[in-house]
Amino acid sequence: MYRKFGKTNEMVSVLGFGCMRLPIIGSDPTNIDEDKAISMVRHAIDAGVNYVDTAYPYHGTGFTHGGASEPFVGKALKDGYREKVKLATKLPSWLIKTRADMDRYLNEQLERLQTDSIDFYLVHSLNAGVWPVLKEAGISEFLNQALKDGRIKYAGFSFHDEKELFKEIVDYYDWSFCQIQYNYLDEGYQAGKEGLEYAAKRDLGIVIMEPLRGGNIVNLPQEAKAVIDRADIKRTPAEWGLRWVWNHPEVSVVLSGMTTMDQVTENIKVAQEAQANSLTPKEMGIINEVKKIFTERIKVNCTACSYCMPCPAGINIPMCFSTYNDHWVFDATPAAKQRYGIVSKVSSPASKCIECGKCESHCPQGIAIREELKNVKQLFE
C-alpha cells in the first residue's frame, strides 16, 4: 500500500485522503459535518493511509480568504493522529504579490492546521498567469527559507496548464514532488502522460488529483457498463478508474476526495490490492473502450472542483454542467432535465449569468464557462 515518494525517500500510502469534498451539513460548504468527517479521516489513517491533503481555500466561499478545510484537518489530526501522517497543504498562489505575502500565508496556515511544520507544501494551481508573478516575488528564496527554518519539510507544486509550462516549472526549482490531474479520460490533458513521465525522470514524487474526474467516471452510461461487465474480474467503475491510475509505476499517491465512509472503505480495499503494471492487456482494452464512449459524449470538461464558485449571480455552475453532461452521457433521459429544474429552484438558472467572467479566472480546466452556460440555457430552459 506504500510507494517511495520520489527523491524524498519517504514512504507514502498510495491512497491519499483529499479534504476538498468532505461531507457537509446542508448546502453551506463551510459547514463540514465534523463528526462524520473525523470518523472517516481517522478510519483511513488507522487502515494505513498516511497522506492527508488540504488547501487554503477548500470548503470556503471564495478564493480571497481561508476555507474551513485546514482548521478541520487540524482538529481531525489531534489525539496523536498528526504524528501518523504526512500533512500536505498549499500556498494560495493567486493571492501572492510580494515575498512577504508568502510568509504571511504560510504562517497563517501553520496556525490554522495547529502544527509547527507542514510535511509537503505545494505552490497551489500554477498556470501561465500566476507563475511569472511568483518568480518575480521570489518563490525560490521563500521555499529555501521555509525549508531551512523547518516550517516545511518538502516543497512541491500543483499544476493546471499546458505541458510545456509544466516542464519549465519542473526545471526551474529543485522540487521534491508535484501534483497533476490524471485519469483515463485526461491522459493527454494539461501535464498528461508526457508530464507524468517528465517529472518521474527527474525523480519527483507524483501526486494525482481528480483520478475519477470529480466522480464523472463513476457513473457510466449503459453502453460503458456493458463493456466492463465483460471483464473476467468484476469491479466497480470507481475501482476501474483508480486501478488505471495506480497501474502507472510513476505515480506515488492518488488523492481521493471521499464524502462517505463507504467510499473510504472501498478505496482502502482497492489501494491494498492495486499494483503497478498489474492490469492485463485485455483489461486495458476494456478501459480504452469505456474511454472512447465517454469522450464521444461528454460536452463540458468539468470536474466539479467548485473553483468557479461562488457565482455573483447565484448560479450553481458545477451542477449546471453536471446535469448538462448527464443529458448527453445517459442517452438524453428526462432525469437530467428534471434535476436541472430542481437545481434552478434552489439556485439561479444558467440564464441569469451576467457574464462577469470571474468564474473563468479560477477554472483549472480552462472552460469557457460563459459560453457553456448559454448552451445549458438553450438545452434546459
Side-chain angles (χ1 to χ4, degrees), residues 30-242:
T30 68
N31 192 14
I32 298 170
D33 188 334
E34 291 193 351
D35 289 343
K36 185 182 293 185
I38 288 174
S39 294
M40 290 165 52
V41 171
R42 292 185 175 182
H43 175 75
I45 295 170
D46 290 339
V49 173
N50 73 349
Y51 191 101
V52 176
D53 171 270
T54 182
Y56 188 70
Y58 289 175
H59 278 278
T61 56
F63 279 75
T64 59
H65 52 278
S69 181
E70 284 183 333
F72 162 79
V73 170
K75 185 179 294 187
L77 296 183
K78 286 179 176 292
D79 304 323
Y81 280 89
R82 174 67 184 92
E83 291 71 31
K84 298 178 181 181
V85 302
K86 308 298 181 184
L87 176 59
T89 193
K90 311 172 186 76
L91 177 74
S93 61
W94 55 92
L95 296 177
I96 302 302
K97 297 296 181 286
T98 67
R99 170 74 171 75
D101 289 341
M102 303 177 195
D103 285 304
R104 179 164 60 85
Y105 282 109
L106 172 55
N107 292 336
E108 180 185 346
Q109 289 174 288
L110 289 167
E111 290 183 12
R112 282 158 55 82
L113 288 159
Q114 301 180 57
T115 188
D116 296 326
S117 180
I118 294 164
D119 300 288
F120 298 120
Y121 195 59
L122 300 92
V123 185
H124 198 177
S125 195
L126 291 186
N127 58 49
V130 302
W131 181 234
V133 178
L134 290 167
K135 287 193 293 183
E136 180 67 23
I139 188 66
S140 296
E141 292 81 1
F142 161 70
L143 293 173
N144 288 339
Q145 182 59 47
L147 288 164
K148 183 178 179 180
D149 62 34
R151 285 178 294 168
I152 68 174
K153 294 182 180 178
Y154 300 102
F157 68 94
S158 66
F159 182 81
H160 286 292
D161 212 309
E162 300 300 318
K163 61 179 178 287
E164 292 310 316
L165 178 62
F166 177 78
K167 294 177 182 178
E168 176 191 324
I169 294 171
V170 167
D171 294 337
Y172 181 82
Y173 183 77
D174 186 22
W175 309 100
S176 295
F177 68 110
C178 65
Q179 182 173 311
I180 63 173
Q181 179 171 322
Y182 199 59
N183 55 68
Y184 65 68
L185 292 182
D186 291 328
E187 198 169 5
Y189 184 66
Q190 293 184 0
K193 183 175 178 62
E194 188 174 333
L196 178 77
E197 294 174 347
Y198 192 85
K201 285 179 182 177
R202 282 146 184 79
D203 202 21
L204 268 64
I206 300 173
V207 181
I208 300 301
M209 56 183 153
E210 303 293 357
L212 301 178
R213 235 220 207 166
N216 289 341
I217 57 179
V218 171
N219 299 312
L220 300 181
Q222 285 302 127
E223 186 181 356
K225 287 179 181 177
V227 172
I228 67 170
D229 285 345
R230 298 203 312 262
D232 297 329
I233 300 174
K234 305 306 176 188
R235 298 179 177 127
T236 65
E239 183 173 356
W240 278 105
L242 291 171

Side-chain angles (χ1 to χ4, degrees), residues 11 22 55 94 192 229 246 279 292 301 348 356 365 379:
M11 296 299 291
L22 297 166
W94 55 92
D229 285 345
W246 277 318
L279 292 178
K292 184 173 184 293
N301 188 39
S348 298
C356 64
Q365 315 305 322
L379 178 66

Side-chain angles (χ1 to χ4, degrees), residues 302 304-309 315-323 339:
C302 175
C305 69
S306 294
Y307 280 27
C308 57
M309 299 294 283
I315 301 168
N316 188 329
I317 298 169
M319 192 64 73
C320 282
F321 291 157
S322 175
T323 53
R339 183 178 169 207

Side-chain angles (χ1 to χ4, degrees), residues 60 193 258 337:
K193 183 175 178 62
M258 297 167 277
K337 191 165 187 176

